[in-house]
Amino acid sequence: MGDIRAVAFDIDGTLYKPRDLHARMMFHFFRFNQFFLHYGIVRSKIHDMGVLDDFYAAQAEMLAKRIGCGVETAEERLERIVYKGLSPFFESVPLCAHVEEVFQAFHDAGLKIALMSDFPPEQKGKLWGLRKYCDVLLGTETTGALKPSTHPFRVLAEKLGIAPEYILYVGNSVKYDVVGAKNADMKAAHFEPRWRNLLRMSSRKADISFYDYRQLHKIVLQ
């Protein structure tokens, strides 16, 4: 792996299993299913748009056109249904096994640690006790671009004060996490389901593919 000086993690689907969140937010999703459908389409388009001068204004304008309402109404619904609306569901979502011990081991080894997500890290409250290990918390929306744009990865490197080639980015999405990190000259680790790893279906785009955080611990600190 060469000289790794920092490890940055995606949050959603990387620190916890998606099914654990989906089970908790099922009724919220069905209550606002049409809204989430349009919201998902808008976010998918924004992923391909590069850097926006005003991310939140652009997102609200695009959503307003899709659901046929004013921009202010779209902004209110985004805040109520997505940003504040989803926040309570994270409180009871368990971390993947061995996540905190890996964070502590990396911290004790002198590595800088960061969290970078396409959703606001503060939406996760106390971040399951991981905040104390982190040097940087970054929501890509505040940079004006979502992954896989290289822009938020560059901003992350600047905030860490470390050149991209010395940063390992860990995520569960090949399309957004692995590709974005590699295009920004970072190393990439893909957190994948165990069956993909056992069937040797791991992404060849990642420097590391793992299904158990103890594997990541061993590879990075060996």
Side-chain angles (χ1 to χ4, degrees):
M1 287 300 298
D3 186 7
I4 295 176
R5 302 176 189 175
V7 183
F9 295 83
D10 170 52
I11 297 176
D12 301 290
T14 299
L15 300 184
Y16 64 84
K17 295 179 180 179
R19 67 170 183 259
D20 290 330
L21 175 64
H22 296 163
R24 287 162 172 78
M25 63 169 285
M26 179 173 60
F27 293 110
H28 183 74
F29 177 80
F30 283 120
R31 180 183 177 187
F32 301 106
N33 64 322
Q34 287 299 309
F35 176 88
F36 278 114
L37 174 63
H38 293 300
Y39 173 70
I41 292 171
V42 168
R43 293 286 287 202
S44 180
K45 291 181 178 179
I46 294 177
H47 276 292
D48 298 323
M49 291 177 65
V51 183
L52 301 171
D53 291 333
D54 188 330
F55 178 93
Y56 295 105
Q59 177 177 247
E61 289 172 6
M62 292 172 66
L63 184 62
K65 290 179 181 179
R66 285 207 60 86
I67 63 180
C69 69
V71 173
E72 289 186 0
T73 299
E75 290 175 337
E76 184 276 328
R77 291 182 183 177
L78 281 164
E79 184 68 16
R80 174 169 53 88
I81 299 172
V82 179
Y83 293 115
K84 289 185 178 178
L86 293 179
S87 184
F89 300 107
F90 293 103
E91 295 179 6
S92 61
V93 174
L95 287 173
C96 292
H98 311 294
V99 167
E100 184 167 3
E101 66 187 67
V102 167
F103 270 59
Q104 183 171 354
F106 289 171
H107 179 269
D108 291 347
L111 298 174
K112 286 191 173 182
I113 299 175
L115 295 177
M116 185 179 80
S117 172
D118 279 337
F119 293 95
E122 55 269 22
Q123 187 184 45
K124 279 70 178 180
K126 296 181 181 179
L127 291 169
W128 305 280
L130 300 177
R131 185 184 293 270
K132 60 181 175 288
Y133 303 113
C134 297
D135 299 279
V136 174
L137 301 177
L138 180 63
T140 62
E141 293 175 329
T142 64
T143 74
L146 302 180
K147 298 177 285 186
S149 168
T150 59
H151 180 67
F153 291 94
R154 303 285 188 199
V155 173
L156 176 65
E158 290 176 5
K159 288 183 175 294
L160 283 168
I162 296 176
E165 58 264 32
Y166 301 117
I167 300 172
L168 173 68
Y169 190 77
V170 182
N172 68 308
S173 170
V174 173
K175 181 178 180 180
Y176 298 132
D177 299 317
V178 174
V179 171
K182 295 297 290 182
N183 286 344
D185 299 322
M186 293 182 183
K187 297 178 176 66
H190 182 214
F191 179 48
E192 60 183 3
R194 183 174 184 178
W195 64 268
R196 288 186 59 89
N197 191 283
L198 294 178
L199 292 177
R200 301 183 183 278
M201 297 175 64
S202 301
S203 170
R204 296 180 180 178
K205 295 181 180 180
D207 299 284
I208 298 172
S209 292
F210 70 100
Y211 61 85
D212 186 312
Y213 270 87
R214 289 173 296 187
Q215 294 174 303
L216 180 67
H217 180 187
K218 182 178 180 181
I219 293 170
V220 172
L221 295 184
Q222 65 184 358

